[in-house]
Amino acid sequence: QHSIILLLPFSLARASDSCDAMPKQEGRSCIASIDPISFPAETLDPFLFCVYHKDDYPAGDGKLQAPRQGNGADFNASAPYRMYHGDRVPGFPQHPHRGFETITATLEGVIDHADSHGNSGRYGGGDLQWMTAGSGVQHSEMFPLVYTEQPNRCRFFQIWLNLPAAGKFSKPAFVMHWNEEVPRYHEAGATVTVWAGEVGDKKGLPPPPDSWASNPDSDLAVWHIRLEPAGTLIIPAAKGGASTNRAVYVVEGTAGVSGKQVPRLNRVVLRAEQAVELRNTHSEATELLLLQGRPIGEPVAKHGPFVMNTQQEIQQAFSDYRRTQFGGWPWPSHETGPTFGTRGRFALLDQKEELPPSFRPMRVKLKDLKDEAFNGRLGTRGAYDMNSGRFVVTLDSDEREVSLKEANLEAVD
């Protein structure tokens, strides 16, 4: 099975009434339409654009590089993997944005991020980065082949979320939601990763302050839904009722949506005022993306990396970018897509570094080592190397640094 990229550019049109699926409320189906995902396919206001990346990168060469060189615009959907705009490391080197937000929600793999304000990070394997481009930012997103002894599969969604006119010139910002802290809801063979919004007793972590999602009336939700064989999930009616847009994208497997079998690479637009049942009656797991929100309802002018309300504002964005470079590029001139070796996940924001819970420094006791002289020694767990899967531990006894697997470390108070 080849890798896929789903390009789902924006549309402000509401879905047509075209399906007679059950259940019905006052004679209306909870399904408004079922459409194959084509190139391009539509998303609904307040969303602008969505990509499902699925790249089967092979083992790396020790320099984070792929076996082949990119051509600068490698989007071949039939290939096992793509280089995108990257040269030897796949990804998207230095490029600008203004007027919207990016939600990069990972499932597998590693992403290295850097921006024109000196911020940076490495995330993946369930982490989410939510960036408000606002008044303007340059950034890079690279997909380094960190592992040399195993494949480097990379799977994630990037979702573009619009900003209302009042927020298009807000201060650029980003937040990192670490995999260990992202809420997950479980129900009858279903797992919902709550990247935004809420389901059951689970509520998504806070978005950036100027996000449309920070508006309590936005009714915004972004979920990854995994249905195991025979799994079911009831999606409740949206709080915003019929004024909320809601759609699910079937990206892996086949999903039963209110009794209709919907195969992979289809979008189902739902009437958000009604609850809907998802069911997997097949032998393989099914995965879906849910995008929901009340529409911003403002004019959209879009050109390349800029999303504004008028064409005049688009022209101003290009002019401002040529004049200011949105803060310039603080990285070495040859590093249009900085990468971070084999170090573990981190986020550097406004000169402050944050680590995910499972990578933070902690007091440990050594155990189960062949050299029994080391068992029982105390130390401090430090940096993590992704390729070797080992932590650096500084021993209390002589301040010697040793490299150890997590299985050989026991947390102590």
Side-chain angles (χ1 to χ4, degrees):
Q1 178 179 311
H2 289 304
S3 320
I4 58 174
I5 319 166
L6 310 185
L7 301 180
L8 314 178
F10 69 90
S11 169
L12 300 182
R14 294 193 62 97
S16 60
D17 300 341
S18 61
C19 181
D20 58 356
M22 295 293 289
K24 292 186 177 181
Q25 177 176 306
E26 298 180 353
R28 298 223 310 167
S29 164
C30 61
I31 294 178
S33 67
I34 303 176
D35 306 294
I37 295 171
S38 58
F39 304 94
E42 293 184 346
T43 59
L44 300 173
D45 185 358
F47 299 98
L48 299 166
F49 183 89
C50 177
V51 182
Y52 174 48
H53 290 264
K54 182 181 177 184
D55 291 286
D56 288 317
Y57 296 116
D61 64 352
K63 299 179 181 178
L64 312 180
Q65 299 179 140
R68 62 181 176 86
Q69 189 170 16
N71 61 14
D74 178 10
F75 292 84
N76 181 1
S78 64
Y81 66 87
R82 281 141 296 281
M83 297 297 291
Y84 302 104
H85 296 312
D87 181 23
R88 292 301 309 277
V89 177
F92 296 86
Q94 174 186 359
H95 59 280
H97 291 306
R98 171 182 275 185
F100 65 99
E101 301 184 273
T102 62
I103 302 171
T104 308
T106 67
L107 301 171
E108 302 177 76
V110 176
I111 299 176
D112 282 349
H113 171 264
D115 71 24
S116 53
H117 299 281
N119 302 315
S120 61
R122 166 167 284 179
Y123 61 101
D127 301 327
L128 174 141
Q129 187 209 57
W130 194 320
M131 185 186 81
T132 302
S135 60
V137 66
Q138 291 190 71
H139 76 151
S140 61
E141 303 153 291
M142 307 305 293
F143 316 141
L145 278 60
V146 172
Y147 302 110
T148 58
E149 302 297 328
Q150 66 185 64
N152 287 271
R153 171 178 263 203
C154 193
R155 259 195 339 132
F156 67 94
F157 297 96
Q158 185 168 94
I159 300 151
W160 287 16
L161 174 63
N162 201 8
L163 285 167
K168 287 192 178 294
F169 288 92
S170 59
K171 181 182 177 181
F174 83 81
V175 295
M176 194 73 81
H177 295 166
W178 301 115
N179 173 57
E180 298 92 328
E181 298 171 329
V182 171
R184 288 175 173 82
Y185 173 79
H186 301 278
E187 175 187 310
T191 299
V192 181
T193 302
V194 187
W195 287 322
E198 55 186 289
V199 59
D201 60 349
K202 304 297 182 181
K203 184 175 182 179
L205 298 172
D210 293 307
S211 173
W212 175 241
S214 293
N215 182 333
D217 295 326
S218 68
D219 202 15
L220 195 114
V222 180
W223 302 347
H224 174 255
I225 301 168
R226 180 182 172 92
L227 299 174
E228 303 299 335
T232 62
L233 176 72
I234 303 297
I235 301 177
K239 291 182 178 179
S243 65
T244 293
N245 286 334
R246 174 188 277 176
V248 292
Y249 296 86
V250 183
V251 297
E252 300 289 349
T254 297
V257 183
S258 190
K260 284 192 174 291
Q261 293 300 303
V262 182
R264 177 173 171 265
L265 305 190
N266 274 271
R267 178 189 70 164
V268 184
V269 176
L270 300 168
R271 293 190 174 90
E273 71 272 21
Q274 299 187 44
V276 62
E277 181 188 67
L278 304 181
R279 182 181 296 272
N280 181 6
T281 60
H282 299 268
S283 59
E284 301 290 334
T286 295
E287 295 183 47
L288 307 93
L289 174 71
L290 177 142
L291 298 179
Q292 171 189 297
R294 292 187 66 175
I296 293 172
E298 296 177 351
V300 173
K302 178 178 182 293
H303 191 97
F306 305 136
V307 181
M308 304 302 290
N309 295 106
T310 68
Q311 287 300 320
Q312 182 178 1
E313 290 173 333
I314 291 292
Q315 294 170 8
Q316 185 64 49
F318 277 101
S319 175
D320 290 347
Y321 176 59
R322 285 192 294 267
R323 180 172 52 85
T324 69
Q325 295 294 292
F326 293 160
W329 192 246
W331 308 92
S333 59
H334 64 282
E335 291 188 9
T336 57
T339 52
F340 304 108
T342 58
R343 70 169 297 183
R345 296 142 58 212
F346 74 97
L348 181 67
L349 177 63
D350 296 332
Q351 307 281 322
K352 296 179 182 179
E353 184 173 270
E354 177 189 350
L355 299 177
S358 57
F359 287 78
R360 290 168 189 163
M362 63 184 296
R363 298 286 295 154
V364 294
K365 180 171 67 174
L366 279 54
K367 66 174 186 176
D368 300 333
L369 293 165
K370 290 182 179 179
D371 188 342
E372 295 186 0
F374 281 89
N375 289 328
R377 290 197 185 187
L378 299 176
T380 301
R381 188 189 75 176
Y384 179 73
D385 182 274
M386 295 192 75
N387 188 38
S388 68
R390 292 174 176 266
F391 287 94
V392 173
V393 177
T394 303
L395 300 178
D396 289 354
S397 56
D398 54 10
E399 296 188 351
R400 188 191 325 181
E401 290 187 346
V402 293
S403 179
L404 295 171
K405 295 277 190 180
E406 186 172 11
N408 298 117
L409 306 175
E410 178 181 337
V412 296
D413 295 333

